[in-house]
Amino acid sequence: MTLQGVVAFHGNNARWPEIALRAFLHRTEQVGEVNLPLLGVGLHEGVRQRDDGDGRPAASEDLSDYKIVQEGDLIMNRLGKPHGSVGVSPWSGITSPAYWVIKIDRNRAYPAFIHHLLRSKHMVREYERLGKYMPPNQFDISWDAFRSIEVPLPSLDQQRRIADFLDAETARIDALIEKKQHMIGFLDERSQALINQVCPGAMVHGLDGRPMGIAGMKCVRLGAIAAIHGGFTMDAGRDNGADFVTSPYLRVANVQDGSLALDDIKEVTLPRALAERCTLRPGDVLMTEGGDPDKLGRGTVWRGDLEPC
């Protein structure tokens, strides 16, 4: 295979030797160990141990044709969409006969480096380029096409150092994500506590996260206690016979989370009847329903900050 894919497109600035995967990756088809742990492979987590509650289709009752995986072997799902379900296994076990189990020649390639290499975005794009788009195996990459991919391969020592760096960075990023998720959970709890403090009888949620009601109170639809109206749009048609008035005009940019930005208020001329319908009264709730995604859903209470029209 000529270098049509990942190397040709992204280059090889380090001038490492460009070697086809067939030189250090070899498929294995060993079966017959039904008592080993069941392994799967996913796009985000790589190789994982399967269990009954992982949301995946149940394994076959007959595991005799499931492939044996040794610690350090690669598992790859070749039937991608999206592609990228590949990884080195930290466990011994068995996996679906639909997956490839691949031995790594450790005299030429360091397993952790190959794990990161084959899961990189550049390689995933190469799988997509080579994958067949014909029924019945849509997006199926053939073994011959896969093993013919040529990649820059540094020395074993360089591979180890690169893999160690990527392992450390991945662990650091995972730890930051976990901390952020913990902080989000903490802020949710704090918000709920503040609601409970301000409004005794706080919203009670079920195990699925959906509100079940207010403790000691009855839940009602918002429409039953409030009249919801859309605001005036600048492209509203003008009736030539209408009586027009000029009034301050609040835009999406003026409505913040819990407050109003009133340093840049425009004026608009509109029919008096429309102005009266859109006049705000103290206590009205404002909420944005348009604009950029970061402005969508902002809300505050109108407290009569400007003279009504």
Side-chain angles (χ1 to χ4, degrees), residues 19-26 74 102-110 113-114 117-118 149 151-153 159:
I19 300 175
L21 296 179
R22 69 164 68 88
F24 54 89
L25 298 183
H26 311 282
L74 270 168
I102 303 171
K103 296 288 185 185
I104 300 172
D105 182 351
R106 301 194 183 194
N107 292 319
R108 306 196 67 175
Y110 187 59
F113 175 82
I114 300 303
L117 173 67
L118 297 187
I149 297 173
V151 296
L153 195 70
Q159 290 180 46

Side-chain angles (χ1 to χ4, degrees), residues 127-146:
Y127 309 149
E128 292 169 347
R129 186 183 73 85
L130 294 173
K132 295 184 295 185
Y133 289 82
M134 297 292 290
N137 297 321
Q138 288 93 335
F139 313 103
D140 181 1
I141 182 172
S142 72
W143 173 247
D144 284 339
F146 172 74

